[in-house]
């Protein structure tokens, strides 16, 4: 089952990833301290570390759980060495942003940046659906159709035992959610529109 949920890597992904304009990291759970402060959790830390080692992208688009693995939550800009981290979307703890909606916002961000190629990074048990969502959304707008997403061969990523998102706490919860909720939902959901109406 673990192998089934993994994505097929792009051809020559290592070489292409070394020259990609951008990396996109999808968050995988996060934790809260006793005072309500966000902590990244081990999965988001691992996803960011993998990206910094295996890509040379100068711009890394991230969700909030990944942001706090390297940056203060209150910061509006953040660099890790020569890499600029940018939030894909604002974080609202009362509103869950799913993978399909994140794909739409990330692609619009790529158009704003004037870049065409991105390495897509997500938990190894999420990336197959993420790749399918990005590919499906890419067909929605003419401005997105030239975008290219590199799917890497990711190692096994950890789960987040105290995650605020129950489905990311262990492999059993995740697989049930992925197979019986997330995949059917994403395949049946219309591509979201951006708030600007694009």
């Amino acid at each position: 089952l673990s192998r089934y949920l993994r994505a097929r890597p792009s051809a020559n992904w290592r070489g292409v990833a070394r020259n990609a304009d951008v990396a996109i990291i999808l968050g995988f759970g996060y934790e809260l301290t006793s005072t309500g402060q966000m902590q990244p959790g081990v999965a988001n830390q691992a996803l960011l570390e993998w990206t910094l080692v295996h890509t040379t992208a100068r711009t890394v688009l991230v969700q909030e759980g990944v942001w706090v693995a390297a940056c203060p939550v209150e910061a509006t800009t953040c660099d890790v060495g020569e890499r600029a981290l940018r939030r894909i979307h604002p974080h609202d703890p009362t509103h869950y942003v799913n993978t399909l909606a994140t794909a739409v916002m990330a692609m619009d961000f790529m158009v704003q940046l004037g870049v065409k190629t991105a390495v897509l990074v997500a938990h190894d048990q999420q990336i197959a659906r993420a790749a399918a969502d990005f590919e499906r959304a890419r067909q929605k707008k003419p401005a997105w159709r030239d975008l290219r997403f590199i799917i890497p061969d990711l190692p096994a990523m950890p789960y987040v035992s105290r995650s605020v998102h129950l489905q990311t706490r262990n492999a059993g919860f995740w697989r049930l959610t992925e197979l019986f909720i997330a995949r059917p939902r994403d395949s049946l959901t219309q591509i979201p529109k951006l708030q600007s109406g694009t």
Side-chain angles (χ1 to χ4, degrees):
L1 186 58
S2 175
R3 188 177 302 169
Y4 171 73
L5 291 176
R6 294 179 63 85
R8 177 178 293 180
S10 300
N12 189 31
W13 70 267
R14 288 181 179 85
V16 181
R18 287 287 177 188
N19 297 297
D21 306 308
V22 165
I24 298 169
I25 310 178
L26 304 184
F28 194 83
Y30 63 86
E31 299 173 342
L32 293 176
T33 66
S34 59
T35 58
Q37 296 290 95
M38 181 186 283
Q39 297 295 309
V42 292
N44 289 324
Q45 290 174 325
L47 290 165
L48 178 61
E49 289 168 8
W50 187 94
T51 303
L52 295 176
V53 169
H54 292 90
T55 80
T56 56
R58 292 297 185 95
T59 303
V60 183
L61 305 182
V62 301
Q63 292 185 290
E64 194 77 2
V66 180
W67 176 273
V68 297
C71 314
V73 70
E74 67 276 4
T76 55
T77 61
C78 180
D79 295 336
V80 179
E82 297 182 349
R83 319 291 189 92
L85 268 62
R86 306 280 295 274
R87 289 178 169 99
I88 298 171
H89 56 81
H91 177 67
D92 178 354
T94 67
H95 177 66
Y96 181 75
V97 180
N98 66 28
T99 305
L100 195 57
T102 303
V104 167
M105 290 182 277
M107 286 189 286
D108 200 59
F109 210 143
M110 288 178 67
V111 171
Q112 293 174 33
L113 292 172
V115 298
K116 298 288 187 183
T117 305
V119 182
L120 182 58
V121 181
H123 194 283
D124 66 291
Q125 299 289 283
Q126 180 186 13
I127 191 144
R129 176 170 53 86
D133 284 354
F134 271 73
E135 180 57 27
R136 183 173 159 232
R138 190 177 68 84
Q139 307 300 323
K140 181 71 174 176
K141 286 178 63 177
W144 295 343
R145 289 176 191 157
D146 290 337
L147 302 181
R148 180 181 181 202
F149 298 99
I150 308 307
I151 309 304
D153 186 11
L154 291 157
M157 292 289 170
Y159 292 86
V160 188
S161 61
R162 292 182 303 219
S163 175
V164 299
H165 300 136
L166 180 65
Q167 70 272 24
T168 61
R169 290 183 180 178
N170 63 54
F173 286 156
W174 179 258
R175 289 168 183 167
L176 288 171
T177 303
E178 180 70 10
L179 290 171
F180 297 110
I181 298 175
R183 289 190 176 193
R185 176 203 63 207
D186 286 11
S187 66
L188 296 172
T189 301
Q190 291 187 343
I191 306 300
K193 291 186 177 181
L194 294 170
Q195 289 183 350
S196 62
T198 56

